[in-house]
């Protein structure tokens, strides 16, 4: 999150930590309780801070009871890997000496951290897929520390760092060996969080006004409707909608012009949104498209390594970086346009993050930061992913930006998001097993095999995360429905609140955005 004073640290994970954390969280809740009744007298930002903090504390306490993160091997490998990698990402204002000190601190701490992981995991019932994913990540980290780390231009290969990296790699390799052997887990360990916890996450953390069964009914109705609309819309092309999308997928840019293609559609999306009065795009907060650096090429294939990561709110600087992967065939022009340029760049996450950095709620500036396994605050999800998916459709209101074929692709994306919402709900309600979820992803969503396993494994670890895409989009549509004639005012007002549950904002009449838009 960019908060000062912690860059040299990895989290504690010994046997005493769970009780310590529970005590600390309960003490924070007790300190917070007297503040809640008087919230009406506070500013809007302070009220939102209190609500976000209350929800986050209750969420963390509930997870301690249900599934403490110390029982998830991928928490350790994700924290360790991104504890190192996050230091190597662009760091506004950081000096080489500060980087070296932080890197040395974390490298020296890896043996302790992984030893505590082995102790905690030895007492846990591990799902086999979680152990397998963590073993892959530990192996990738070991490989990274032995080779790619030294390709980073700001990492000096001095003796002290070399020794620390070697010991960290050995600790990671040892943990990977354990996770493939005595800690490999079992396929029959249940992963569903259950209806009561899912209802809690939806109502109290995401701030939704309904629970999982109503959400499931809505998503299944939408999936059926969208499937029928895709079939009907495709008649204009004289072929099945999937064939139309395969035709789009065949149109790919020249690999030599890949970065320029990303930049072009990013600029075009910003221009179209501004010209049509849809939203104020990020003006003074830059986005640079650069090739994936040599130091990250291999490790990015094995980890939850995002090509665009939310800039650390406490150290956001004047712009962000978008990695462009140049290995293998390039993505289609349409995929670059819809996903990379609109969803993540331009008016999607990029503009959203620029607005959020000025939000009156301090926690709403931080909550949508990308962590090792996902967003720092689950409560940010309907705003973060809901907006980015909504932004894709928003550009349909800019005449000529999308082709008719791309409009069909957009509808297929919404159908996919409704299907993934269904899968998330049915898995954690206990209606489906992981195998059932995977078959649904295969037959109804059409994910490639490699993504099916990765997506479903992550879903099993993090309940109520996949549903936030489609339900978040629906919440923003509901927010806008009463202000159809003022899209820019509504959207700027929404984004100015930062990463907070969308439904908490719906009862409040939209107001004009702060003058000047995002920085």
């Amino acid at each position: 999150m960019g908060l000062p004073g912690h860059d040299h640290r990895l989290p504690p994970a010994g046997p005493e930590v769970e009780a310590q954390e529970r005590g600390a969280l309960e003490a924070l809740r007790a300190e917070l309780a007297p503040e809640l009744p008087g919230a009406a007298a506070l500013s809007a930002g302070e009220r939102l801070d209190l609500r976000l903090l209350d929800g986050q504390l209750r969420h963390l306490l509930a997870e301690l009871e249900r599934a403490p993160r110390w029982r998830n091997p991928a928490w350790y490998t994700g924290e360790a890997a991104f504890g190192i990698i996050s230091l190597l990402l662009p760091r506004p204002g950081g000096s080489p000496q500060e980087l070296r000190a932080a890197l040395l601190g974390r490298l020296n701490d890896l043996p302790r951290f992984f030893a505590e992981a082995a102790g905690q995991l030895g007492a846990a019932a591990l799902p086999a897929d979680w152990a397998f994913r963590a073993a892959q990540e530990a192996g990738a980290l070991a490989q990274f520390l032995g080779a790619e780390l030294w390709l980073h231009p700001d990492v000096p290969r001095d003796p002290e760092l070399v020794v620390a990296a070697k010991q960290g790699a050995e600790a990671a390799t040892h943990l990977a060996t354990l996770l493939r052997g005595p800690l490999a887990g079992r396929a029959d360990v249940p992963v569903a969080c259950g209806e009561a916890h899912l209802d809690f996450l939806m109502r109290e953390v995401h701030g939704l006004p309904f629970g999982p069964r109503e959400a499931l009914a809505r998503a299944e109705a939408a999936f059926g409707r969208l499937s029928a609309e895709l079939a009907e819309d495709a008649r204009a092309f004289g072929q099945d909608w999937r064939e139309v999308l395969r035709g789009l997928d065949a149109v790919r840019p020249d690999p030599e012009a890949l970065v320029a293609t990303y930049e072009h559609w990013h600029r075009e999306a910003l221009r179209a949104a501004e010209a049509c009065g849809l939203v104020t795009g990020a003006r003074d907060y830059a986005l640079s498209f650069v090739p994936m650096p040599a130091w990250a090429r291999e490790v990015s294939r094995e980890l939850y390594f995002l090509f665009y990561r939310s800039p650390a709110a406490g150290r956001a600087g004047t712009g962000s970086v978008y990695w462009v992967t140049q290995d293998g065939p390039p993505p289609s022009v349409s995929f670059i346009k819809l996903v990379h340029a609109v969803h993540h760049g331009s008016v999607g996450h990029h503009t959203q993050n620029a607005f959020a950095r000025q939000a009156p709620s301090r926690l709403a500036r931080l909550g949508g930061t990308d962590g090792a396994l996902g967003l720092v605050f689950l409560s940010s999800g309907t705003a973060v992913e809901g907006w980015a998916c909504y932004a894709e459709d928003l550009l349909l209101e800019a005449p000529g930006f999308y082709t008719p074929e791309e409009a069909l692709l957009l509808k297929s994306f919404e159908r996919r998001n409704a299907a993934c919402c269904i899968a998330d709900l049915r898995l954690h309600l206990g209606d489906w097993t992981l195998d059932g979820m995977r078959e649904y992803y295969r037959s109804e969503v059409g994910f490639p095999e490699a993504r099916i396993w990765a997506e479903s494994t992550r879903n099993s670890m993090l309940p109520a995360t996949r549903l936030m895409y489609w339900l978040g989009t629906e919440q923003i549509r509901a927010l806008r429905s009463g202000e159809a004639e003022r899209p820019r005012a509504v959207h700027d007002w929404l984004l100015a609140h930062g990463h907070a549950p969308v439904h908490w904002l719906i009862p409040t009449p939209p107001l004009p955005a702060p003058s000047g838009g995002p920085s």
Side-chain angles (χ1 to χ4, degrees), residues 281-283 285 308 349-359 517-519:
R283 296 168 174 164
Y285 195 74
Y308 172 82
H349 287 317
H350 177 59
T351 284
Q352 179 184 56
N353 286 324
F355 265 102
R357 300 304 175 241
Q358 302 178 28
S519 65

Side-chain angles (χ1 to χ4, degrees), residues 443-483:
S443 60
E444 296 295 343
V445 184
F447 282 154
E449 285 299 318
R451 183 174 178 183
I452 288 170
W453 184 86
E455 187 91 11
S456 56
T457 299
R458 188 164 177 267
N459 293 162
S460 70
M461 294 177 182
L462 305 169
T465 52
R466 204 55 182 84
L467 59 79
M468 63 199 189
Y469 292 71
W470 186 73
L471 290 178
T473 303
E474 289 293 287
Q475 292 291 294
I476 295 171
R477 287 172 176 163
L479 176 65
R480 184 182 173 186
S481 62
E483 293 281 351

Side-chain angles (χ1 to χ4, degrees), residues 48-56 361 363-364 379 499-501 504:
L48 193 52
D49 271 336
L50 287 181
R51 200 167 183 182
L52 284 166
L53 180 56
D54 183 51
Q56 182 70 2
S361 162
L363 294 184
S379 59
H499 302 139
W504 290 357

Side-chain angles (χ1 to χ4, degrees), residues 405-423:
E405 292 85 354
E406 287 167 344
L408 205 66
L409 179 59
L410 276 174
K411 188 164 287 187
S412 78
F413 283 179
E414 183 179 357
R415 177 183 179 272
R416 175 204 63 197
N417 285 339
C420 290
C421 178
I422 293 167

Side-chain angles (χ1 to χ4, degrees), residues 97 111 119 124 136 277 309 325 348 363 475 518:
Q97 294 78 17
Q136 284 186 309
R309 299 189 77 84
T325 302
L363 294 184
Q475 292 291 294

Side-chain angles (χ1 to χ4, degrees), residues 65 71-72 83 149 163 222 225 227 249 278 285 290 360 390 418 448 450:
E65 295 301 320
R71 309 292 189 266
N72 182 352
L149 173 64
V163 170
R225 172 180 57 80
S227 297
D249 190 56
L278 299 176
Y285 195 74
V290 299
Y390 174 86

Side-chain angles (χ1 to χ4, degrees), residues 2 16 31 65-66 98 135 147 238 362 393 400 406 413 422 427:
E16 73 288 348
E31 184 180 346
E65 295 301 320
R66 183 192 73 87
E98 289 170 337
R362 290 174 294 170
D393 288 344
E406 287 167 344
F413 283 179
I422 293 167
L427 176 71

